[in-house]
Amino acid sequence: MLFDGFALTTRTVNGVSYRCCLGGSGALLVLLHGRPETHAMWHKIAPALAAHYTVLCPDLHPERTLAQQADDLLGLADSLGHESLILAGQDYGARVACEVAGLEPSRVKALILLEALPGPDHTGRDDMAFSLTQYESCWFGQLHPKPEANAVQVPAEWLDDPVSEDSFFSPEAVKDYLSAPVWRSSTPFSWPASRPDLHCPVLVLWGEKGRIGGWYNPVVPWQEVSTGKVTGQALSGEHFLPEEAPQETLAAVQDFLASTL
């Protein structure tokens, strides 16, 4: 069973319903999922965090703007009786977390950003090799029928039935990812042109086998947009760190919060 001790609930704010997992007690820690997942991506680490924090894991609404979602999340915090909050976000969730921090900086006490960069600045990297690292370009740069067969926006193993026993993805979580309507909107997604303006402590985590650490020292771009202290480290894994390396991710988050709050 995923999220042992949590309640799966629906909360409405600003006229929008958010499906959430909620558990624990203490300061509010909001965990925001990335693409193409749901709140279920946090199931391996959320219960341990709930021993010390009120942990809220909502499904995001990508069809709403970042500003709208940020306002919604602050409304969810209000509904739980919390003035201040801590935010952790992976990929797309990290950008939403930054939007919250920019909207109400006095309320956000810390940010934990996984597999994310502050903006789409790839100056000096837009050559053929860089372009072919993008998911769609990687496949469409190959001969037919490879592109058509592989241009799928989910990991291929999610489509296995059943999910392989040696996969780090939980079959129950994968079922949620594929059945939830989070990413089914026809509204195209694009990263905002503006870069965040952060003022709280920031922890940056990235996969040592992934692309972000190969392109950058990921701490540096975040230091450029933050007046608060920025620390970071690489973890085993490629992109889905809370599922690929849950114990490392949990330890990094716990150490950061213990030294920050």
Side-chain angles (χ1 to χ4, degrees), residues 71-189:
D71 189 53
D72 293 345
L73 291 171
L74 290 168
L76 288 174
D78 291 337
S79 73
L80 294 171
H82 290 268
E83 172 63 22
S84 62
L85 63 160
I86 308 154
L87 290 144
Q90 192 258 1
D91 185 65
Y92 176 77
R95 193 61 185 88
V96 178
C98 290
E99 193 74 15
V100 178
L103 186 63
E104 289 286 352
S106 64
R107 296 184 63 176
V108 177
K109 301 307 177 186
L111 284 172
I112 302 159
L113 308 173
L114 296 82
E115 279 292 303
L117 295 169
D121 180 8
H122 295 303
T123 304
R125 299 178 186 275
D126 52 350
D127 58 7
M128 179 68 77
F130 178 82
S131 295
L132 288 175
T133 65
Q134 310 308 304
Y135 192 85
E136 294 88 348
S137 301
C138 171
W139 293 118
F140 281 95
Q142 300 183 53
L143 296 175
H144 172 82
K146 197 72 170 179
E148 295 86 344
N150 291 279
V152 179
Q153 292 296 321
V154 300
E157 62 194 282
W158 289 10
L159 304 179
D160 293 340
D161 188 17
V163 175
S164 172
E165 291 184 0
D166 60 1
S167 172
F168 55 78
F169 291 112
S170 159
E172 192 173 349
V174 170
K175 182 178 179 181
D176 195 73
Y177 302 153
L178 296 177
S179 62
V182 176
W183 300 105
R184 293 182 184 172
S185 170
S186 60
T187 303
F189 169 77

Side-chain angles (χ1 to χ4, degrees), residues 188-207:
F189 169 77
S190 61
W191 290 108
S194 61
R195 305 186 82 194
D197 181 18
L198 307 177
H199 303 282
C200 62
V202 177
L203 173 66
V204 183
L205 300 174
W206 64 94

